[in-house]
Amino acid sequence: QVFEALSRIGYRQIEFAGYNQNANSEGGASLGNPGGAALLRTWLDDNGLVAQGNHGSIPGSITENSLAQFDAACEVANILGMDHIGTGGDPTGGAYKADWDAAAERWNILGERAMKMHGLKLYTHNHDVAYSFLLDSGPLDGQGRPTRSSGIRRLEYFLANTDPKYVFLEMDIYWA
């Protein structure tokens, strides 16, 4: 019914924020699996809608288990006909250059995997903290971390250190 209403009022693209629904609905509580994705795809197609992405998650570390989960999420994205897979948050919650270096390295690895194995590109959907300044200079604190910024914004640094073939920025634009 939601897809019918969105189509009726003129929407043509959908960005999911997960695939959960009421457990009593057709398909059950979670449609984030191949069978559920096929059902979602039917509803999209029936209403002339196209899936554009999902605010899912990008693994916080690279392990066999996290790669298997990532590949499963890519499979769902492909069933839904998406070109992109992403996250609804920042690549890292850290403030330090080392945090963003690790995130960029991880996203480059996952981005290459998404593209080469699944034909997908990664996106990051950021919020205000990603536009704050990276702590990358100045005197070090008691744990040996920098206490000041050279004026580089966190997201700016991340995008400069990820491969644009694999990673891009998705932004919501609101107007009244």
Side-chain angles (χ1 to χ4, degrees):
Q1 291 174 340
V2 170
F3 291 153
E4 289 172 15
L6 291 172
S7 179
R8 192 172 41 254
I9 61 176
Y11 283 90
R12 296 293 169 246
Q13 300 172 333
I14 301 293
E15 181 182 24
F16 290 93
Y19 307 110
N20 296 325
Q21 62 176 1
N22 185 292
N24 296 322
S25 298
E26 183 181 356
S30 176
L31 300 176
N33 55 66
L39 181 59
L40 276 172
R41 178 65 185 261
T42 300
W43 294 338
L44 291 167
D45 291 347
D46 287 351
N47 290 286
L49 299 170
V50 175
Q52 287 297 316
N54 176 38
H55 280 205
S57 65
I58 302 300
S61 62
I62 306 266
T63 65
E64 284 186 38
N65 188 47
S66 68
L67 289 175
Q69 290 173 345
F70 180 72
D71 289 338
C74 290
E75 179 183 5
V76 167
N78 278 320
I79 292 168
L80 290 169
M82 294 182 194
D83 295 325
H84 316 99
I85 187 168
T87 181
D90 298 324
T92 178
Y96 302 98
K97 181 180 175 292
D99 301 328
W100 290 83
D101 284 336
E105 179 181 357
R106 187 175 69 254
W107 278 63
N108 280 325
I109 291 167
L110 294 168
E112 182 177 14
R113 183 182 189 95
M115 180 67 71
K116 290 184 176 178
M117 291 178 63
H118 305 285
L120 299 168
K121 193 168 181 179
L122 297 185
Y123 68 89
T124 178
H125 172 109
N126 302 97
H127 297 97
D128 58 340
V129 72
Y131 300 95
S132 61
F133 294 106
L134 189 68
L135 294 177
D136 63 347
S137 65
L140 303 180
D141 67 13
Q143 296 177 329
R145 299 174 302 188
T147 57
R148 297 196 182 123
S149 175
S150 64
I152 298 172
R153 296 191 185 276
R154 297 173 189 186
L155 186 58
E156 174 186 2
Y157 182 81
F158 175 77
L159 292 172
N161 287 283
T162 53
D163 190 329
K165 291 186 306 232
Y166 307 130
V167 178
F168 72 100
L169 172 64
E170 181 267 343
M171 297 176 63
D172 287 340
I173 299 173
Y174 300 95
W175 65 89

